[in-house]
Amino acid sequence: MDTRRLLFLIELARLGSMQRVADECQVTTSTVSQQIAALARDFRLPLIEPDGRRVRLTPAGRRLADHAATILGAIDAARRDLGPGDPAGEVTVAGFATGIRRALIPAISRICVEHPRIVLRVREHEPPEALAALAAGEVDLALVYDYSLAPIRFAAPLEVIRLWSARWSLGVPAADLGGNTDDRPAPEVVREFRRHRWIVNSRNTADEDVVRILAAMGEFEPDIAHRADSLDLVEDLITTGNGVGLLPADGPVAPGIGLLPLARPAALLRAFAVTRRGHAQWAPLAVVRAMLAEHAIGAPTAPLSN
């Protein structure tokens, strides 16, 4: 529909004369008449009726004029929202807890100051949940991770920014650590704990995949005893002697926990910012994505597909 027709109808409702509408809009009276007639055909309803030598709006015409004001107002708001100037809108991000703390919370603080018309909403989700919400259109951006030993497979059509990488180690009770902090290959490290119970993630398979891959290289089957999403809970289970599990190599750990390096092969956690292809052109999302990209390790934005 040509929105100019709605404008002519609004002006006719306000001015009461096609001639006055033509003068106001700087067109001919014939143009106004033709456009309102075309609008009537669009809706298959009579919008005007004779009133002596003039015309007046029918009840349907008056009702449509009310809607037209709302429609044109919404179009103007959309132009202001999507056009140049300070971006405005609500951006929803689903992400894992560590990524939210490291990258998203600083972004929220900056956005409040630099772009007060952007509202950032956060949902904590593990990668499979975040990507499912992104595919369903429930969120605008997914902050996800994988491990170098168990890479994630992104479905098309997505745009992915590689953010940062972090080494992970094997967390064990300090009493079981002894003086064993040498740089042995990872399969040998995990094999030493083959008789221990193992702790993995409960809502994602990434941790378990890494544990099983390293265990297979060490020629044993791990006893997966506990599943926990919170790193604090993983540490509690380790300190009470209830298992061993993966923990960040560069983070502080609770007293009573020892960290054994995992190298050759390394267990690298890799973080990504994921959007649906083409959606990052929306100004508010572009701002959030750019702030997250400041944490990138130099990899370019790349659309990934199956």
Side-chain angles (χ1 to χ4, degrees), residues 92-94 123 125 130-142 276 279:
T92 303
V93 179
R123 300 183 186 180
H125 284 304
L131 291 174
L134 183 68
E138 297 170 359
V139 302
D140 303 299
L141 185 146
R276 294 186 296 278
H279 285 220

Side-chain angles (χ1 to χ4, degrees), residues 132-218:
L134 183 68
E138 297 170 359
V139 302
D140 303 299
L141 185 146
L143 187 58
V144 303
Y145 70 90
D146 70 1
Y147 288 97
S148 54
L149 289 173
I152 195 170
R153 189 182 184 205
F154 294 104
L158 298 173
E159 293 183 9
V160 181
I161 298 175
R162 172 88 173 271
L163 298 179
W164 69 85
S165 298
R167 289 185 175 274
W168 279 52
S169 297
L170 180 62
V172 303
D176 296 333
L177 184 63
N180 188 5
T181 57
D182 60 329
D183 188 23
R184 293 176 299 159
E188 292 185 21
V189 174
V190 300
R191 180 174 171 77
E192 183 178 335
F193 295 88
R194 63 189 179 278
R195 293 186 176 87
H196 286 62
R197 289 174 293 181
W198 287 78
I199 309 159
V200 299
N201 196 286
S202 69
R203 288 152 49 214
N204 188 18
T205 63
D207 287 23
E208 183 174 353
D209 290 342
V210 171
V211 167
R212 290 191 179 280
I213 288 168
L214 292 176
M217 296 171 72

Side-chain angles (χ1 to χ4, degrees), residues 45-250:
L45 288 170
L47 302 179
I48 58 175
E49 60 188 6
D51 182 22
R53 298 180 63 181
R54 305 173 67 182
V55 296
R56 65 185 176 192
L57 298 185
T58 65
R62 290 194 299 272
R63 185 63 176 153
L64 182 56
D66 292 338
H67 283 297
T70 301
I71 293 167
L72 294 180
I75 291 173
D76 286 342
R79 287 197 179 105
R80 290 193 300 270
D81 181 37
L82 301 176
D86 188 27
E90 186 174 295
V91 179
T92 303
V93 179
F96 63 107
T98 301
I100 290 171
R101 291 191 188 100
R102 175 168 176 169
L104 206 54
I105 289 178
I108 293 174
S109 300
R110 283 185 57 190
I111 284 171
C112 289
V113 175
E114 298 175 17
H115 301 283
R117 297 176 65 207
I118 296 178
V119 177
L120 191 56
R121 303 200 181 278
V122 178
R123 300 183 186 180
E124 183 191 348
H125 284 304
E126 284 294 307
E129 302 163 346
L131 291 174
L134 183 68
E138 297 170 359
V139 302
D140 303 299
L141 185 146
L143 187 58
V144 303
Y145 70 90
D146 70 1
Y147 288 97
S148 54
L149 289 173
I152 195 170
R153 189 182 184 205
F154 294 104
L158 298 173
E159 293 183 9
V160 181
I161 298 175
R162 172 88 173 271
L163 298 179
W164 69 85
S165 298
R167 289 185 175 274
W168 279 52
S169 297
L170 180 62
V172 303
D176 296 333
L177 184 63
N180 188 5
T181 57
D182 60 329
D183 188 23
R184 293 176 299 159
E188 292 185 21
V189 174
V190 300
R191 180 174 171 77
E192 183 178 335
F193 295 88
R194 63 189 179 278
R195 293 186 176 87
H196 286 62
R197 289 174 293 181
W198 287 78
I199 309 159
V200 299
N201 196 286
S202 69
R203 288 152 49 214
N204 188 18
T205 63
D207 287 23
E208 183 174 353
D209 290 342
V210 171
V211 167
R212 290 191 179 280
I213 288 168
L214 292 176
M217 296 171 72
E219 300 181 338
F220 73 96
E221 177 72 20
D223 175 13
I224 305 295
H226 309 295
R227 298 181 182 275
D229 296 321
S230 165
L231 291 179
D232 290 339
L233 180 53
V234 173
E235 292 190 7
D236 288 344
L237 289 167
I238 294 173
T239 55
T240 54
N242 283 292
V244 298
L246 300 179
L247 289 173
D250 59 354

